[in-house]
């Protein structure tokens, strides 16, 4: 758990300068680029209700996550912490049988 928490904090520390000063829609786009750069093959779509859905088509840590589900919890925590102006919910999860991991972001 400590290892995953350190990874979350490091990723957040690295992402914060790229997200600072951006509007929420720009933060969502930039965070998606960060996730993509990290190997998650991420993309984002705008939803009809004004929110966004970030989809990770690949899990960069799947082999670890299958043995240590807390890795997935810290991934969700990272996205929530990176987007404090949004409400983030995981709506699809590879380890629960989905073919992707997806997160919906709604403005607060």
């Amino acid at each position: 758990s400590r290892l995953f928490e350190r990874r979350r904090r490091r990723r957040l520390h690295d992402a914060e300068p790229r997200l600072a000063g951006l509007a929420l829609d720009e933060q969502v786009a930039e965070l998606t680029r960060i996730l993509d750069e990290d190997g998650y093959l991420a993309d984002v779509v705008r939803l009809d209700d004004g929110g966004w859905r970030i989809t990770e088509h690949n899990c960069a840590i799947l082999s670890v996550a299958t043995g240590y589900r807390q890795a997935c919890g810290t991934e969700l925590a990272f996205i929530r912490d990176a987007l404090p102006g949004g409400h983030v919910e995981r709506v699809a999860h590879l380890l629960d049988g989905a073919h992707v991991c997806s997160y919906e972001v709604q403005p607060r």
Side-chain angles (χ1 to χ4, degrees):
S1 292
R2 287 191 309 253
L3 176 67
F4 296 122
E5 180 56 23
R6 279 197 307 266
R7 179 178 182 266
R8 182 198 65 78
R9 285 194 311 263
R10 179 184 45 79
R11 291 176 76 208
L12 185 60
H13 178 266
D14 292 346
E16 284 175 334
R18 292 177 61 173
L19 302 173
L22 300 178
L24 183 58
D25 61 331
E26 296 168 316
Q27 287 180 334
V28 170
E30 186 63 19
L31 180 61
T32 302
R33 280 189 284 278
I34 291 168
L35 293 168
D36 192 58
E37 291 166 7
D38 287 347
Y40 289 91
L41 299 176
D43 62 31
V44 63
V45 296
R46 190 71 193 243
L47 303 174
D48 291 339
D49 64 5
W52 302 266
R53 181 179 301 116
I54 299 171
T55 300
E56 298 172 337
H57 297 275
N58 179 61
C59 180
I61 59 169
L62 183 60
S63 60
V64 173
T66 55
Y68 301 94
R69 283 188 73 114
Q70 60 266 49
C72 299
T74 57
E75 182 71 13
L76 177 58
F78 164 68
I79 294 170
R80 285 178 172 161
D81 291 345
L83 300 173
H87 176 76
V88 179
E89 291 297 324
R90 183 184 297 136
V91 296
H93 191 206
L94 275 166
L95 295 185
D96 289 337
H99 66 282
V100 297
C101 286
S102 290
Y103 306 87
E104 288 192 2
V105 181
Q106 295 294 324
R108 288 197 184 273

